[in-house]
Amino acid sequence: MKKHRAPLSLRPNPEGPLPTAAMVLAAGLGKRMRPLTATRPKPLVRVHGKTLLDHALDNLRASDVQRVVVNVHYLAGQVEAHLARNAADLDIVVSDEREALLETGGGVAKALPLIGADPFFVVNSDNMWVDGPIDTLRQMARRWDPEIMDALLLVVPLARAHGYEGRGDFHMTGEGLLARRRGARVAPFVFSGVQLLKASLFDDVPEGAFSLNLIYDRLIESGRLYGIAHTGQWFHVGTPGAVKETEALLGNG
């Protein structure tokens, strides 16, 4: 079996149960990452010694996630071949979007029967995180309370959101309730692309392509969208420049 480099980490691995299924969103076109994506899909761009996809998979491995659904579209065959070579230890299932991109929400909705768990993690493949003093996914699982929340988003303080150039995404109360940034104002938290979701969120959604933002807006209105602040490092790796910046911040590896 192929040996895997340990995921980047700032902490020991604490004990505790976790949801054991996740989806990695890996079907995007990666236009902003050109020319690196001219001949390879964005999830296979290498950063700090590993592909973006492998960084995500290693973080999931470290938290005992066993079943991982990966959606594919652009240069899908390369992603499938990479998974066959490098993820044989995981229960990998491919959700095929070759015919049409379904965006984030549509992609998860299509893959839901393959995920087979409730709740489950969803991870964007173009964001990298380094665990802080507490295992990130385990921390989210401990915070999860299905009585009061339907989705739990990992958010990053704006000042520590490396590679992010916006004004922030959310405000968060002391209890963790999330609200959108409004107008030109700055919001103190950025969505990391890591989340824990209930399967029932997809019971009443549009067919075909739609954004997960549709679900977030519904949950904000009902007071059931929660956040948890990331205690480690986080990097949005969306451009060739961001690749260089991330590697400089992480050092040689």
Side-chain angles (χ1 to χ4, degrees):
M1 181 181 297
K2 183 180 178 67
K3 293 184 178 180
H4 297 275
R5 294 176 60 188
L8 299 166
S9 180
L10 302 175
R11 51 76 183 148
N13 184 30
E15 298 298 326
L18 272 175
T20 58
M23 180 171 185
V24 178
L25 299 175
L29 296 174
K31 292 181 179 179
R32 295 180 64 236
M33 189 66 87
R34 291 178 179 170
L36 297 181
T37 51
T39 58
R40 80 188 89 174
K42 187 176 181 180
L44 298 188
V45 169
R46 298 184 71 83
V47 182
H48 201 258
K50 291 190 290 193
T51 68
L52 287 167
L53 179 57
D54 286 332
H55 281 291
L57 292 177
D58 282 350
N59 275 322
L60 294 171
R61 282 188 184 93
S63 295
D64 298 326
V65 174
Q66 300 163 5
R67 185 173 183 83
V68 183
V69 177
V70 181
N71 64 342
V72 297
H73 175 77
Y74 176 61
L75 298 176
Q78 289 189 32
V79 178
E80 290 175 323
H82 183 86
L83 291 169
R85 290 192 305 269
N86 297 280
D89 59 311
L90 294 170
D91 180 10
I92 294 284
V93 183
V94 170
S95 182
D96 196 331
E97 296 182 24
R98 283 177 173 88
E99 291 187 2
L101 273 173
L102 296 174
E103 299 185 45
T104 53
V108 176
K110 174 182 171 65
L112 200 60
L114 304 175
I115 295 169
D118 187 14
F120 57 93
F121 290 109
V122 177
V123 176
N124 289 0
S125 62
D126 60 352
N127 297 323
M128 288 176 51
W129 82 88
V130 180
D131 287 336
I134 302 174
D135 177 294
T136 299
L137 299 184
R138 211 173 293 278
Q139 183 183 21
M140 293 178 70
R142 289 173 179 168
R143 178 68 181 92
W144 179 252
D145 183 351
E147 297 299 317
I148 64 171
M149 63 184 68
D150 294 327
L152 179 65
L153 309 188
L154 182 71
V155 294
V156 182
L158 180 59
R160 294 195 285 108
H162 302 298
Y164 175 81
E165 298 176 352
R167 296 174 177 266
D169 299 314
F170 293 107
H171 298 272
M172 185 166 64
T173 68
E175 293 74 31
L177 275 169
L178 294 179
R180 293 274 191 193
R181 176 182 63 82
R182 296 298 181 186
R185 297 179 180 178
V186 172
F189 293 100
V190 176
F191 176 43
S192 71
V194 181
Q195 55 200 308
L196 187 55
L197 303 178
K198 278 185 181 176
S200 60
L201 291 171
F202 299 88
D203 289 347
D204 181 22
V205 293
E207 292 187 10
F210 70 94
S211 171
L212 281 172
N213 282 310
L214 172 68
I215 289 175
Y216 303 156
D217 288 341
R218 290 177 178 178
L219 295 182
I220 288 171
E221 187 173 347
S222 62
R224 296 187 65 84
L225 182 68
Y226 278 73
I228 184 170
H230 184 43
T231 57
Q233 293 178 292
W234 178 83
F235 306 88
H236 176 58
V237 191
T239 65
V243 172
K244 295 179 180 179
E245 177 187 351
T246 300
E247 291 181 331
L249 289 168
L250 290 172
N252 296 327

